[in-house]
Amino acid sequence: MDNIDVMLVPLRGLLLEIGNFLPRLGVALAVIVVGWLLAKGLRVGAVKALRALNFHVLTERAGVDGFLKQGGTEKDTVEWFGTIVYLLVLIASLIVAFNTLGLTQVTDLLGRVLLFVPRLLVALLVVVFGGYFSRFVANAVLRYFRAAGISDADILSRIVRYAVMTFVVLLAVDHLDIGGGLIQDTFLILLGGVVFALALAFGLGARDRASQLIERWFPRDPSDRT
């Protein structure tokens, strides 16, 4: 009889642990289901609110939607914002659920992901507004150079737009804090090398062409402009 009691002690402990775990598992599953439904509702609400504010018009004019379509995605920027909101709510519900189960390591990992998602949201906003601003500046430069009679106004306006967008992308990547600044430093080194190579090639191999362009853009006599 004593041997039977000794054998039943681990079984009783196991059943007690299962009995304590099942209510917590039920609460965790309920939190995940409610969080999933809430995330879906907030995603739809965020998309409708942004479209009501004509945010999709801003993203289309900024060129972000066109860039996404070229990348092969069917979603526009507004839908991606809704997806980010969906992920925020869903990850928050998962954190609460796993915390209920006592899985602290999983909770810490999800907490880091939850802190990264708002950064992604802000970086996307920076790209959207920066793209719109770059197009605005490029159009202003284009109109000014055309009024000044410079024939290469289209090329110069594109250069200005790409320069502004490069700065905007660097700001977005810096806000994401990916790679501890390695991406920004690498990009700046490559950009500096390209600019130096172009300047050297243009200065050595096309001095006559450079003088012609400068004379055409800024002639000594305004009547000589073509």
Side-chain angles (χ1 to χ4, degrees), residues 178-187:
I178 299 176
L182 178 62
I183 296 177
Q184 298 92 322
D185 295 339
T186 304
F187 182 81

Side-chain angles (χ1 to χ4, degrees), residues 94-167:
L94 289 175
I95 290 176
V96 175
F98 284 115
N99 192 30
T100 303
L101 297 176
L103 302 175
T104 56
Q105 294 180 349
V106 179
T107 303
D108 295 338
L109 178 61
L110 291 176
R112 295 179 181 179
V113 176
L114 185 64
L115 293 176
F116 176 78
V117 174
R119 291 184 179 180
L120 181 62
L121 182 63
V122 175
L124 188 56
L125 284 173
V126 170
V127 172
V128 170
F129 287 101
Y132 184 80
F133 178 73
S134 67
R135 176 165 293 188
F136 172 78
V137 173
N139 290 333
V141 171
L142 179 62
R143 289 192 297 267
Y144 176 78
F145 283 162
R146 283 182 177 176
I150 297 176
S151 59
D152 296 323
D154 293 334
I155 298 177
L156 295 175
S157 64
R158 288 182 183 180
I159 293 175
V160 171
R161 182 182 178 185
Y162 293 152
V164 175
M165 276 306 302
T166 300
F167 180 72

